[in-house]
Amino acid sequence: MVARYNPQEIEKKWQQKWADDRLYEVSEASPRPKWYALTMFPYTSGDLHIGHWYAMAPADVHARFKRMQGYNVLHPMGFDAFGLPAENAAISRGIHPFTWTMQNIDNMRRQLRSMGAIYDWSREVVTCLPDYYKWTQWFFLKLYQAGLAYRGKAPVNWCPRCQTVLANEQVVDGFCERCGAAVIRRDLEQWFFRITRYADELMEHSGIDWPERIKIMQRNWVGKSLGTEISFALEQPGVDEKEIRVFTTRPDTILGVTFMVLAPEHPLVAKLTSPDKKAEVEEYIARSRRQTEIERLSTGKEKDGVFIGAYVVNRLNGGRVPIWIADYVLMSYGTGAVMAVPAHDERDFAFAKKYNLPIPVVIAPPRWQGEELEAAYTEPGIMVNSGQFNGLPCQQGVEAVSDFLEEKGWGKRTITYRLRDWLISRQRYWGAPIPMIYCPNCGIVPVPEGDLPVLLPEDAEFRPTGESPLKYCEQFVNTTCPRCSAPAKRETDTMDTFMCSSWYFLRYASPNCDTAPFDAQRMKYWLPVDLYTGGAEHAVMHLLYARFFIKALRDMGLVDFDEPFTHLFNQGVIIAEKQKMSKSRGNVITPDAYVSELGVDTVRAYLMFVAPWEQGGEWDDSGISGVSRWLNRVWNLVLGGYSCGDSIARIKAERDIYRIAHQTIRKVTNDLENIHFNTMIAILMELTNHLSKAKELGAITPSCWKWCRDKLLLLLAPTAPHLAEELWERIGHSYSIHNQSWPVWDEELAKDEEITLVVQVNGKLRDRITVPAAITEAEARQIALERQRLKAYLEGKEIINIIYVPGRLVNLVVR
Ligand SMILES: [Zn+2]
Ligand SMILES: [Zn+2]
């Protein structure tokens, strides 16, 4: 009688033993090749939810697989611990963000340990601790020295009545939470990183294996456009200004311009607005200041604007072009002014319709007869109504118009980017202080490296005021200038937490190094990351920032590679009841409940099996029960003993089972290699079925049985590490299964059994083909039709029927 599979008992036992034995601690001294498998570290929100499990458990399976394959695998874990949610949660609970965060980390660490992952906990990093953020500050200083950090103006929320900066949470529908005044956006000096210097390089993803959609998102985010800057003459030139410059990628449409749109913040607006339009224009500007950029650019929003009562002249035809302002044009992109061509731009078309502006066609759609357009025509076409350029295809028109403008001095070809510099200042408490000092004599002075870390004071009042809480913490603010020793003040803003996560993967290489952010030799050994897994939502923030960071460090000579993450993989999302899980819908799946009922290994295997990892899928209770039954079957199968019956079919059966086992090893290996986890589980289930059947029939020798059984456990070890370890011990093998080598298959033995098919044309033997015994009819027909030797018999003939006799022949009937 076999003891019952009791996952709770064995899982706890092995987790303790692995920890005691430090089974998963890794060292750079290993003779094995290195493999750095990284999962995006979690934000310290408090509890591991299903999304964490779905990100981490399959990643651990893959890392375990690489380990058994003979790699020295670093699979570390840490915590992204600074940031606004901690601060807000701490405020609402009335406890200090540090206390709240550290409690959450304790809880999450316990949950992560229960997952049975191979994390090397001796390498844990926590970004809110001084031994970590000291180096975040150090990197800030390095970027500053390299000319990559600078101070510039950026908008903040400003209440004109309270005369103060407001946090986003204090702005309710555009109004001040305290006094009800309309909030405006006002520029404040803040710190930026010059990520735009790397714009071109960030668009390239050479030498790295990343999902195409992430690469496209990054390229679109950087948004490089080749175009032409064109100047329009002011109808009534000012003393200083004689023209307005616009950037366009479509100079071929210049003769279709019927209005120009400036960003409301454009410096010329105040100067150009005619007296009768002043009130209307000012009101519009005030309104647009109350919106965020995202609101201004949102596609759902109706585009509106105001005519400012002034004109420019289109130099190509002398046409008078009215100037409008509209908030969908941003000062920070291009020149802050756009030429509007309503016939050939959707947004301009809608705007022209709304305000009854002319819509002349200058690029003819196919079969166009001069009629009015019902919608903007944005496809290529032939230039019309464009004077000397008429008849040119628009691609040639782009060049011809640009040449003409350059010749006349009215324009020049240029490149613009959508990417802006990275604003890293936060007027909040829970972040790494920016290590800069303002001296009345010396100006901006960096904190000397030897004085790092600039500690975050524990006793600051951290309720949000919009201004940095550190501003009111006198013992923090007041300091002396490191250069001239005069009384000076510290920078009181803290850093964007994306700064902390831009380099954490370097820290894992030597987490306790206290002389540098990393030990150069150890970092060189592990980096770059071989496989980075996490959510696709990080495409344009974290993943872009980390790439920028590495390129900047490379140029400083601190690292010798170009890209941090060689291979990137994004897992999908687990949903429930056809919807995203959320507390309000009441459809949240808590993994802990399943873990305590069915065991960790079942949850792990189920998450692998539920759907292709990159797609994600729907949580299904009957699905996880099925997986639980399967692991119970494995348990009983392995421990049930084996007695060989006397079967005449043994030789054939044994050959079949060896073939299936070798094929399974090949398939499981390839599936793991290619991150096709769900099909990997399916094939392991099939192997379990084959072995059960062979055992029932007593159809194989004991040595064949043992060989197959051991291979099943080895293949299962990454997915169900506790079950595999327990069974491995119980059948008498030595500890630990996780130190065993990954099984290898024999290509010869994995070969499908082959048969010879006769190929006939109209009943006459014309060819013989060797095919796998398990060939399907469709495959057999296909192979027969592609045979070179048959070409002569089939030429000029029509195939009217194909007769297939399984295992014997394919007969092509032709006439
Ligand atoms: Zn106010
Ligand atoms: Zn000074």
Side-chain angles (χ1 to χ4, degrees), residues 149 384 437 482 579 664 757:
V384 292
I437 290 168
Q579 284 180 308
T664 303
L757 288 180

Side-chain angles (χ1 to χ4, degrees), residues 319-505:
R320 241 181 141 209
V321 178
I323 305 172
W324 289 62
I325 54 170
D327 59 14
Y328 66 81
V329 177
L330 298 177
M331 199 55 221
S332 47
Y333 179 73
T335 60
V338 299
M339 60 178 221
V341 185
H344 306 294
D345 179 277
E346 280 159 22
R347 202 172 54 184
D348 297 345
F349 185 89
F351 198 88
K353 279 279 180 200
K354 184 177 165 99
Y355 294 107
N356 224 358
L357 297 158
I359 307 180
V361 175
V362 291
I363 304 294
R367 294 174 298 282
W368 181 69
Q369 301 288 335
E371 69 276 10
E372 272 185 31
L373 297 181
E374 309 223 323
Y377 178 73
T378 57
E379 299 295 308
I382 302 297
M383 290 177 74
V384 292
N385 298 328
S386 297
Q388 66 191 95
F389 303 105
N390 280 345
L392 283 179
C394 62
Q395 294 90 334
Q396 284 177 36
V398 168
E399 303 309 325
V401 172
S402 299
D403 286 345
F404 182 77
L405 290 167
E406 286 185 342
E407 223 166 85
K408 293 275 185 189
W410 296 340
K412 62 173 199 298
R413 287 179 172 86
T414 176
I415 298 170
T416 60
Y417 297 89
R418 188 177 169 278
L419 183 71
R420 251 85 48 71
D421 278 339
W422 175 12
L423 170 58
I424 62 124
S425 294
R426 294 292 178 274
Q427 292 79 45
R428 298 301 292 235
Y429 169 70
W430 194 232
I434 295 173
M436 298 304 257
I437 290 168
Y438 302 99
C439 167
N441 309 321
C442 315
I444 299 177
V445 183
V447 171
E449 277 179 30
D451 292 352
L452 297 180
V454 177
L455 286 171
L456 187 64
E458 268 175 49
D459 53 355
E461 172 59 60
F462 50 79
R463 257 152 245 286
T465 61
E467 289 183 292
S468 176
L470 298 180
K471 216 169 191 166
Y472 301 101
C473 186
E474 286 192 12
Q475 79 273 28
F476 176 84
V477 177
N478 295 320
T479 183
T480 50
C481 171
R483 260 181 223 157
C484 73
S485 300
K489 294 205 181 299
R490 288 191 189 278
E491 167 67 62
T492 55
D493 284 350
T494 54
M495 284 184 241
D496 180 4
T497 53
F498 278 113
M499 169 91 182
C500 313
S501 55
S502 290
W503 72 278
Y504 78 108
F505 46 90

Side-chain angles (χ1 to χ4, degrees), residues 729-748:
E729 185 190 63
R730 287 192 184 220
I731 59 177
H733 290 306
S734 60
Y735 173 80
S736 154
I737 190 170
H738 302 299
N739 286 339
Q740 301 298 313
S741 301
W742 188 248
V744 285
W745 72 93
D746 182 321
E747 201 61 68
E748 203 49 44

